[in-house]
């Protein structure tokens, strides 16, 4: 499936942004990852499309919320209380098969194009 991410931008510390990602077909699981300059791509959040399991990295837990709309094949990432260290390119990812619960980017075979999030101090 093809993924299209949107919603990035520039925000002051303490502000909020909402990222969205739309898939061209059905998915089994979604995740968001991010990559800051000079750093590896890291896990942010995960959800399945068939149950209520969600996972978050420790750095975003309590501030970010991942949600899905199975009927529309979309996933959102609500980001609140943003910090300068959240600045990165955010990527949505999807799996179209299996029932795995994972934080590993290697388990996702479909990726969006990335959307820039910049948080100023």
């Amino acid at each position: 499936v093809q993924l299209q991410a949107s919603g990035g931008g520039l925000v002051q510390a303490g502000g909020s942004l909402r990222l969205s990602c739309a898939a061209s077909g059905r998915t089994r699981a979604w995740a968001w990852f991010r990559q800051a300059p000079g750093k590896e791509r890291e896990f942010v959040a995960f959800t399945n499309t068939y149950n209520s399991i969600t996972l978050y990295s420790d750095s975003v837990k309590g501030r970010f919320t991942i949600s899905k709309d199975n009927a529309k094949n979309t996933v959102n990432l609500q980001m609140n209380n943003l910090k300068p260290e959240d600045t990165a390119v955010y990527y949505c990812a999807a799996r179209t098969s299996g029932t795995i619960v994972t934080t590993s980017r290697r388990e996702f075979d479909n990726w969006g194009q990335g959307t820039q999030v910049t948080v100023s101090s």
Side-chain angles (χ1 to χ4, degrees):
V1 296
Q2 293 184 330
L3 305 181
Q4 181 70 43
S6 61
L10 172 64
V11 65
Q12 289 187 335
S16 298
L17 281 174
R18 184 179 179 86
L19 304 183
S20 296
C21 186
S24 60
R26 291 186 176 182
T27 64
R28 294 285 287 173
W30 291 98
W32 288 94
F33 292 80
R34 67 187 182 186
Q35 188 166 17
K39 296 187 176 181
E40 292 190 356
R41 193 170 299 187
E42 65 174 6
F43 168 77
V44 174
F46 167 93
T47 187
N48 281 326
T49 59
Y50 50 90
N51 59 31
S52 61
I53 290 176
T54 57
L55 301 174
Y56 297 95
S57 68
D58 288 343
S59 62
V60 307
K61 198 173 296 181
R63 300 187 297 121
F64 290 12
T65 303
I66 188 170
S67 61
K68 65 206 174 190
D69 186 331
N70 291 342
K72 296 181 179 179
N73 294 325
T74 59
V75 68
N76 299 305
L77 185 69
Q78 178 66 41
M79 306 185 293
N80 297 329
N81 190 20
L82 282 159
K83 303 176 180 180
E85 51 263 43
D86 294 318
T87 296
V89 177
Y90 283 70
Y91 296 90
C92 59
R95 283 181 60 94
T96 57
S97 63
T99 56
I100 193 171
V101 177
T102 182
T103 62
S104 172
R105 63 181 187 266
R106 296 173 180 80
E107 299 293 343
F108 293 88
D109 48 7
N110 300 278
W111 291 84
Q113 80 281 14
T115 184
Q116 177 70 46
V117 171
T118 302
V119 184
S120 63
S121 58

